[in-house]
């Protein structure tokens, strides 16, 4: 999963008398390098939820860091199609048995060659229930997953999936439990990175030392251990034996950890930061004029939601309650005024950037305050609501706007609840502790309509994915499974749209807006681009 930290640019506005307030955090270092050496290219991030283990990293901050350390099996071209990267070829005759040939020349950052066994090791570790990795659901289609991940209260019958076989050092054979035409498309995601033997300790577990200083096979190697909770930076150097394209005139990269988007933007303007993809609420009015051609507004495949704890709060059990809340939200005003046009009103669970989107599919996403109030009253919706959101992601303004919509249109008491950071709200959602409505964003793991369905709303994703609301619907699961096994992409897409229709009927989450990618950079760099997964393409950047 790729749950997004936050609106990458959120408008500070007079709408609904909202005020923009900076929260502290994130120190400026003046941009100098220790010892007078090379000044790094510096990017803003929030604190990763976990240590830097790719099998346990399912949010944007940690994924951004790991994307610099690892090279994926596939990347995505301009047509959103997977193209081989660390893989030489990925082939299948029946969409069930897949053969992955590794590209020669890739070595771990300790110099040892990368082999097919390193991929088998990683995927088996990620799938095994005893390891409790947050990425485990992504391996659920591999034959033998049920043996290593039988479910809560059950003991795994095996340590490895029978569907994974390292044929030789450069060949990995993957047998799925059923045909899945989208399997190659999935392989650009963080969970499918390999893992060196040195990552595991004597107990067979990924060590803390590895999570603090992961050894990858990508463009950058990590210079020193990342001490979570106290570190302000994660420092890296270009790996000189990386076989792919390297930056032309720089070798040092630094991720600077901020708890305040405002402080990061101040550092960007002061040229103490080079890349900022989480511009704050206070920046929207001036970002274009301040940054000029260093400010970007581009299409994005992400979706912003209000999440609903269906399984954990009976007050939301009636779908009419959720539909009424949805119809009470003035998406057009929020996206045009609060977001200054850098978002679009959501009218489907699938983003327009990906095939499968249908304009106006979500009828309950249409603003209708009179009908919303009647439906809410008839459904006996709760008199009080709480809206949780992460305070480090620039969400205050739009959450306050939604709260005011609900107060005015439903006649109820609504209290926004800020969490300190993204990690805090994710931890509470993972622990099933938070019972209020919650802000959630989804940034795709791979370009397929299926990725808006299974990882967020599939029953299995309650325990192994991003189904934070606990939504369960067997009909939905069955139709998605049929789409997975469809003979061709067109047939599969029709089935995914049928599953989408079930979501529209049930409204387990409330889609609010479709993102656009808004980011800026300093005059010290040029060539800054984001890929389809909203990760920086570091090899394209040059120092100005």
């Amino acid at each position: 999963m790729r749950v997004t930290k936050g609106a990458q640019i959120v408008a500070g506005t007079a709408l609904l008398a909202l005020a923009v307030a900076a929260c502290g955090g994130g120190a400026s270092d003046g941009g100098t390098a220790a010892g007078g050496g090379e000044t790094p290219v510096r990017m803003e991030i929030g604190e990763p939820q976990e240590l830097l283990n790719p099998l346990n990293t399912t949010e944007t901050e940690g994924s951004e860091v790991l994307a610099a350390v690892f090279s994926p099996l596939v990347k995505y071209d301009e047509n959103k199609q997977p193209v081989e990267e660390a893989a030489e070829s990925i082939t299948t005759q029946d969409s069930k048995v897949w053969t992955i040939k590794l590209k020669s020349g890739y070595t771990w950052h300790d110099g040892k060659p990368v082999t097919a066994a390193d991929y088998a090791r990683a995927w088996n570790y990620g799938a095994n229930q005893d390891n409790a990795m947050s990425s485990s659901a992504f391996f659920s289609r591999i034959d033998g997953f049920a043996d290593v991940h039988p479910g809560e209260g059950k003991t795994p019958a095996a340590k490895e999936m029978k569907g994974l076989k390292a044929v030789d050092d450069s060949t990995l054979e993957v047998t799925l439990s059923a045909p899945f035409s989208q399997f190659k498309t999935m392989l650009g995601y963080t969970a499918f990175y390999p893992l060196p033997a040195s990552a595991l300790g004597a107990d067979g577990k990924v060590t803390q030392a590895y999570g603090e200083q992961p050894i990858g096979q990508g463009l950058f190697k990590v210079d020193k251990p990342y001490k979570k909770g106290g570190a302000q930076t994660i420092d890296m150097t270009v790996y000189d034996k990386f076989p792919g394209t390297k930056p032309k005139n720089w070798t040092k990269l630094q991720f600077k950890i901020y708890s305040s988007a405002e402080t990061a933007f101040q550092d960007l303007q002061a040229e103490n930061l080079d890349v900022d993809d989480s511009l704050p609420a206070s920046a929207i009015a001036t970002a274009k004029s301040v940054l000029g051609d260093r400010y970007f507004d581009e299409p994005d495949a992400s979706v912003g939601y209000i999440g609903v704890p269906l399984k954990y709060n009976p007050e939301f059990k009636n779908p009419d309650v959720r539909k009424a809340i949805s119809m009470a939200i003035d998406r057009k005003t929020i996206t045009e005024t609060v977001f200054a046009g850098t978002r679009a009103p959501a009218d489907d669970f699938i983003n327009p950037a990906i095939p499968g989107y249908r304009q106006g599919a979500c009828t309950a996403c249409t603003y209708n305050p009179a009908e919303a109030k009647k439906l809410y009253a008839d459904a006996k919706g709760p008199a009080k609501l709480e809206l949780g959101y992460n305070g480090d992601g620039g969400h205050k303004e739009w959450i306050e706007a939604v709260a005011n919509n609900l107060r005015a249109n439903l006649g109820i008491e609504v209290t926004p609840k800020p969490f300190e950071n993204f990690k805090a709200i994710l931890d509470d959602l993972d622990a099933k502790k938070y019972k209020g409505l919650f802000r959630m964003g989804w940034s795709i793991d791979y370009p397929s309509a299926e990725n808006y369905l299974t990882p967020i709303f599939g029953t299995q994703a309650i325990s192994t994915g991003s189904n934070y609301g606990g939504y369960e619907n067997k009909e939905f699961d069955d139709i998605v499974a049929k789409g997975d096994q469809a003979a061709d992409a067109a047939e599969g897409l029709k089935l995914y749209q049928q599953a989408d229709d079930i979501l529209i009927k049930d409204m387990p989450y409330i889609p609010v807006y479709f993102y656009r990618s808004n980011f800026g950079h300093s005059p010290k760099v040029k060539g800054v681009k984001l890929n389809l997964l909203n990760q920086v393409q570091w090899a394209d950047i040059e120092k100005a």
Side-chain angles (χ1 to χ4, degrees), residues 456-506:
I456 323 173
F457 303 111
T459 299
Q460 190 174 53
I462 295 173
S463 59
T464 61
S466 304
N467 189 345
Y468 292 113
Y471 174 68
E472 296 182 67
N473 187 312
K474 186 177 185 303
E475 182 186 7
F476 171 83
D477 292 338
D478 290 346
I479 291 176
V480 172
K482 289 179 181 178
D484 293 348
Q485 299 172 39
D488 56 56
E491 180 187 347
L493 191 57
K494 288 179 181 178
L495 288 160
Y496 292 144
Q497 288 175 328
Q498 289 178 29
D500 183 31
D501 286 336
I502 294 175
L503 297 181
I504 291 167
K505 180 184 70 175
D506 287 353

Side-chain angles (χ1 to χ4, degrees), residues 206 389 522:
V206 173
Y389 67 98
S522 80

